[in-house]
Amino acid sequence: ENGEWLFAEINIDITRRKQSESQKEATLAALHESEERYRTLFDTISEGVVLIAPDGQIVQANSAAEYILGLTHSQIESRQYNSPDWEIQRIDGTPMPPDEMAGPRALREKRPVKNVVMGAKRPDGFVSWINVNAVPLLSKAGVLKGVIGTFQDISERKRAEDDVKR
């Protein structure tokens, strides 16, 4: 009332908040870098790699999988492991049922399944012989989140073995 002004000084220490923000930024940067490394590895590895959801749907495939199977990315990812589009055969040439395949077995048994050899008929009629390994992805609580399947093209080796047998 007498013309005096009242000033209040408020100091808030935001050091902890700034440190927390910096830590979050560093964590996000590290996650982004990790994702980039994963993506590069996934895209450049010479083995075919597929990620199969618990319901059997193929949700991800790398370029080596496309090349080995003679299919496009979208053709692979539109299929389930037991899709009738697959023509899978055993070493003796008889049809291989899904319950013998590495991926479905790893899904069902919730354990790694290694060295399953099978032939996958490509759209061009050629059979790609592959050696498949499958590992289930389990949460810490043991819940099945999917399966990672990797496969190596062994077609040349299989043809050489067949030639020797003849």
Side-chain angles (χ1 to χ4, degrees), residues 6-53:
L6 177 64
F7 288 96
E9 185 175 319
I10 301 173
N11 289 316
I12 301 173
D13 186 359
I14 61 169
T15 305
R16 285 190 187 143
R17 183 171 51 173
K18 286 293 188 186
Q19 286 173 340
S20 176
E21 287 173 5
S22 293
Q23 288 172 341
K24 285 179 187 175
E25 288 172 11
T27 300
L28 287 173
L31 284 172
H32 181 71
E33 187 177 318
S34 176
E35 171 68 20
E36 286 296 314
R37 278 195 308 267
Y38 159 76
R39 174 63 45 207
T40 300
L41 176 64
F42 187 77
D43 288 340
T44 60
I45 193 167
S46 62
E47 282 193 338
V49 180
V50 294
L51 176 61
I52 304 170

Side-chain angles (χ1 to χ4, degrees), residues 155-166:
S155 300
E156 291 299 319
R157 186 180 87 197
K158 174 83 167 80
R159 275 193 290 282
E161 289 171 359
D162 291 347
D163 289 345
V164 168
K165 287 177 187 173
R166 275 182 253 155

Side-chain angles (χ1 to χ4, degrees), residues 88-97 100 117-119 129 158:
I88 306 297
Q89 56 186 277
R90 297 180 182 117
I91 293 173
D92 65 6
T94 60
M96 179 181 273
E100 291 180 19
V117 175
M118 59 189 220
W129 288 97
K158 174 83 167 80

